[in-house]
Amino acid sequence: MSVDEAILWERLSRSRRAPVEPSWLEESYSSSLSADLRRALCEKLGSLADRGWPIILRLLHRHGDQNELILAAGLCHQREARDWLLQRLHEPSHLNDDHLCVLQALACWGADVPESVLHACLQHPGLQHRLTGLQLISFRAHTLTDQQLLAYCADLLNDCRDPLVISTIRVLQRRDGEAISECLAELCRSNSLVIAEAAFRALGCIATPVSQRLLQELSTSPEDPTRQELAHRQLNQQFRS
């Protein structure tokens, strides 16, 4: 680490007690700094909201579409920044995997992101694109019915990659509707034991009469002793005094 970077890190470490000026962040940022330091400076800029966005935009014009600056545009949560990010998606240079960072920056906007952007994420074969789509679903879930949520998640639950399916299960377990519980019960019978374990835990977290009934049914199924035990474990945790 250079002496100059050490000084910048030291100043950032004191920023809670002695807040830094936006102008200092603008002057300190350089594309030649280490990636971690650039990210830290940009996170601080993003946290400044409406005071940070004009500086982020100037730095983007000066240094180009650096990933940390794009993510800062999302962090500042300004409508102008959201519109700028959406515009980037329609530019030819952002019609390939390079636009993943733009999508990630938009994720926190949830329901304010066009449906076409969400579908583009969910239909993309890449894991990170689909995880970003799941983030978009999570941020707009409060606007969706259980059936709508399940429809969005259907392809994700059928994905062959366990980490993506498990992340989707964690989104579903925040709801306690009957259709959600029935979907999770089906996943308890998945060929992947890792997915089944996550689905059993999700049913246990829901803890409604419907989820308890489904766990009871799964606990009496003779086909798979391992899954019987998983069901018993969740039931025992719910009724433990």
Side-chain angles (χ1 to χ4, degrees), residues 145-147 149-150 172-187 189 202-203 206-215 217:
T145 66
D146 286 353
Q147 294 297 339
L149 179 60
L150 287 169
L172 291 177
Q173 74 182 45
R174 300 171 193 168
R175 308 286 280 267
D176 60 3
E178 182 174 352
I180 300 286
S181 293
E182 289 174 347
C183 174
L184 292 170
E186 284 301 313
L187 290 169
R189 303 181 179 93
L203 273 179
I206 290 174
T208 62
V210 171
S211 68
Q212 290 166 359
R213 173 179 59 78
L214 291 167
L215 283 170
E217 291 173 1

Side-chain angles (χ1 to χ4, degrees), residues 20-240:
V20 294
E21 290 297 322
S23 57
W24 180 86
L25 292 167
E26 181 174 10
E27 293 165 5
S28 299
Y29 178 87
S30 169
S31 56
S32 64
L33 296 173
S34 65
D36 287 344
L37 182 52
R38 296 200 311 270
R39 191 177 306 113
L41 289 167
C42 288
E43 286 175 357
K44 188 63 68 174
L45 272 172
S47 71
L48 295 177
D50 59 332
R51 294 192 299 151
W53 168 237
I55 294 174
I56 295 166
L57 190 59
R58 285 200 295 270
L59 290 174
L60 282 162
H61 290 154
R62 195 177 305 155
H63 297 279
D65 291 357
Q66 304 291 333
N67 283 355
E68 64 274 5
L69 289 170
I70 292 172
L71 292 172
L75 285 173
C76 74
H77 214 73
Q78 300 301 297
R79 289 194 174 275
E80 295 86 352
R82 180 204 61 185
D83 294 343
W84 180 87
L85 289 165
L86 288 172
Q87 181 182 351
R88 308 312 282 176
L89 290 179
H90 298 296
E91 296 182 0
S93 60
H94 290 278
L95 294 180
N96 51 36
D97 285 352
D98 292 340
H99 77 345
L100 176 60
C101 186
V102 179
L103 291 168
Q104 291 171 334
L106 281 166
C108 65
W109 286 96
D112 290 329
V113 173
E115 195 86 358
S116 58
V117 174
L118 174 57
H119 284 300
C121 287
L122 297 179
Q123 292 167 8
H124 195 283
L127 176 61
Q128 292 305 317
H129 280 78
R130 289 197 159 199
L131 285 171
T132 301
L134 184 60
Q135 279 187 292
L136 285 166
I137 292 171
S138 181
F139 276 106
R140 69 168 62 197
H142 66 283
T143 69
L144 303 174
T145 66
D146 286 353
Q147 294 297 339
Q148 288 172 325
L149 179 60
L150 287 169
Y152 278 126
C153 292
D155 284 344
L156 303 181
L157 293 173
N158 288 323
D159 197 283
C160 63
R161 291 161 290 197
D162 288 357
L164 177 58
V165 179
I166 291 169
S167 295
T168 307
I169 288 172
R170 288 174 181 155
V171 171
L172 291 177
Q173 74 182 45
R174 300 171 193 168
R175 308 286 280 267
D176 60 3
E178 182 174 352
I180 300 286
S181 293
E182 289 174 347
C183 174
L184 292 170
E186 284 301 313
L187 290 169
C188 289
R189 303 181 179 93
S190 169
N191 290 331
S192 167
L193 187 57
V194 175
I195 290 174
E197 288 175 340
F200 274 110
R201 287 193 298 271
L203 273 179
C205 289
I206 290 174
T208 62
V210 171
S211 68
Q212 290 166 359
R213 173 179 59 78
L214 291 167
L215 283 170
Q216 187 66 45
E217 291 173 1
L218 290 162
S219 73
T220 58
S221 177
E223 292 87 359
D224 191 331
T226 300
R227 293 166 205 261
Q228 280 185 311
E229 174 58 29
L230 289 169
H232 278 298
R233 188 183 306 164
Q234 293 302 324
L235 286 168
N236 290 337
Q237 287 179 358
Q238 289 187 37
F239 295 112
R240 184 180 299 162

